Amino acid sequence: MFMTFYNVDMEKAKNINDLLEEYERMEAIIDLFFKKDVENKELEELRRWLTVSINYFRRFQKVLSILKIKDEKINIKEAEEKEFLIEKLYLLLIENGKIRSNQKIKSINDVEIDKAVIGEPIFVVYVNEQNIDLFGNVITFYMVSSIFNAIAEDIKKDENGKKKLLFSDTDSNPMYRVYSGFLNKKEAEKEEKRVINKIEEYKEAKTLEEYLEQLREGIV
């Protein structure tokens, strides 16, 4: 997206920092020779593309820094392919944001719950561990998920005797999940306990696509 639109030669850049410096140099040259109040559609489009690209790679570098990943080991074309993941990590780890997902959760495993809740609305918060492969680095990531508008449908046991809680919802009040993310398990567990006191903050979370649109418009 960013690096191919205006046919910038990525092969000349040894790393992300080189590419960012090249974009900033291009932006400075354009500002030097063309006033911003000059009406030129192509020039406006180029300026916008540069601004979006520069801001993205600045966020990219912040994500690398917090994950302790070295810039020089990253293939630039691969960096473009990881844009969606990088933006998500930026929102969760740098902005401490919450992200909404409208994908429905069918069940969660290993729960302690009473059968009396079956058929009733239920609010669930849980932590799950994920391993993310990012540029050859395996990052352990802890996600705190809150499930809204779920109905406890059934409880089943697996072959080890552990309980699985099954969910359903209604068309008029569909289920959704909001999650935050942490690199530290203890911090994730603390957040799990705090969610109930931050319920409005979680309810107001936007989808990743909505956040990305705001990032590109310079709102976030």
Side-chain angles (χ1 to χ4, degrees):
M1 173 186 166
F2 300 115
M3 295 171 277
T4 56
F5 188 77
Y6 278 94
N7 199 29
V8 174
D9 188 356
M10 294 183 295
E11 301 302 325
K12 292 181 180 178
K14 295 179 180 178
N15 51 48
I16 300 301
N17 190 60
D18 284 354
L19 192 63
L20 181 56
E21 287 180 356
E22 178 64 16
Y23 284 154
E24 289 173 337
R25 185 184 67 82
M26 289 172 62
E27 185 179 51
I29 290 172
I30 291 170
D31 289 344
L32 181 64
F33 288 99
F34 301 97
K35 293 182 179 180
K36 290 187 177 181
D37 58 358
V38 174
E39 291 188 11
N40 183 306
K41 187 175 181 180
E42 186 175 347
L43 189 59
E44 287 175 4
E45 193 175 354
L46 176 56
R47 272 200 168 105
R48 172 172 167 73
W49 171 76
L50 280 170
T51 298
V52 169
S53 299
I54 288 168
N55 289 341
Y56 168 68
F57 283 111
R58 285 174 179 165
R59 294 193 295 272
F60 190 104
Q61 288 184 322
K62 288 180 180 180
V63 171
L64 295 188
S65 177
I66 199 169
L67 297 179
K68 297 180 172 58
I69 297 176
K70 292 186 177 180
D71 182 353
E72 61 266 21
K73 294 185 178 181
I74 295 173
N75 179 288
I76 293 174
K77 288 184 179 179
E78 187 181 2
E80 184 183 34
E81 295 169 0
K82 295 287 187 180
E83 177 194 352
F84 199 75
L85 175 57
I86 289 293
E87 296 287 31
K88 182 167 78 170
L89 291 174
Y90 175 82
L91 285 164
L92 294 174
L93 301 179
I94 307 298
E95 295 290 333
N96 297 315
K98 283 79 180 168
I99 298 175
R100 173 172 173 152
S101 170
N102 293 322
Q103 184 177 7
K104 296 180 182 182
I105 304 296
K106 294 182 179 179
S107 65
I108 57 173
N109 297 322
D110 196 16
V111 293
E112 292 297 328
I113 194 165
D114 195 291
K115 282 192 174 182
V117 304
I118 298 302
E120 298 294 328
I122 186 171
F123 176 65
V124 179
V125 183
Y126 63 96
V127 176
N128 65 302
E129 179 180 319
Q130 293 185 357
N131 289 321
I132 301 171
D133 187 346
L134 189 61
F135 310 119
N137 300 270
V138 178
I139 309 298
T140 301
F141 185 73
Y142 301 93
M143 191 173 290
V144 181
S145 294
S146 303
I147 303 177
F148 293 86
N149 300 339
I151 296 172
E153 186 177 77
D154 198 4
I155 299 172
K156 292 187 176 181
K157 287 186 178 181
D158 62 19
E159 60 273 14
N160 297 316
K162 292 184 177 180
K163 293 180 180 179
K164 174 187 285 189
L165 176 61
L166 279 62
F167 298 115
S168 63
D169 65 352
T170 63
D171 292 338
S172 60
N173 203 22
M175 182 194 316
Y176 65 94
R177 178 172 65 99
V178 177
Y179 59 91
S180 52
F182 301 84
L183 294 174
N184 183 286
K185 186 177 181 180
K186 288 185 178 180
E187 287 300 314
E189 290 171 344
K190 286 180 183 178
E191 180 68 9
E192 181 184 19
K193 295 175 182 177
R194 291 192 296 251
V195 167
I196 196 65
N197 297 319
K198 302 164 72 173
I199 196 76
E200 293 304 319
E201 187 178 335
Y202 274 77
K203 282 183 177 180
E204 292 171 2
K206 298 178 177 64
T207 65
L208 183 56
E209 291 78 9
E210 289 172 324
Y211 278 125
L212 291 182
E213 186 62 30
Q214 288 187 341
L215 281 170
R216 289 163 188 165
E217 294 296 330
I219 298 172
V220 177

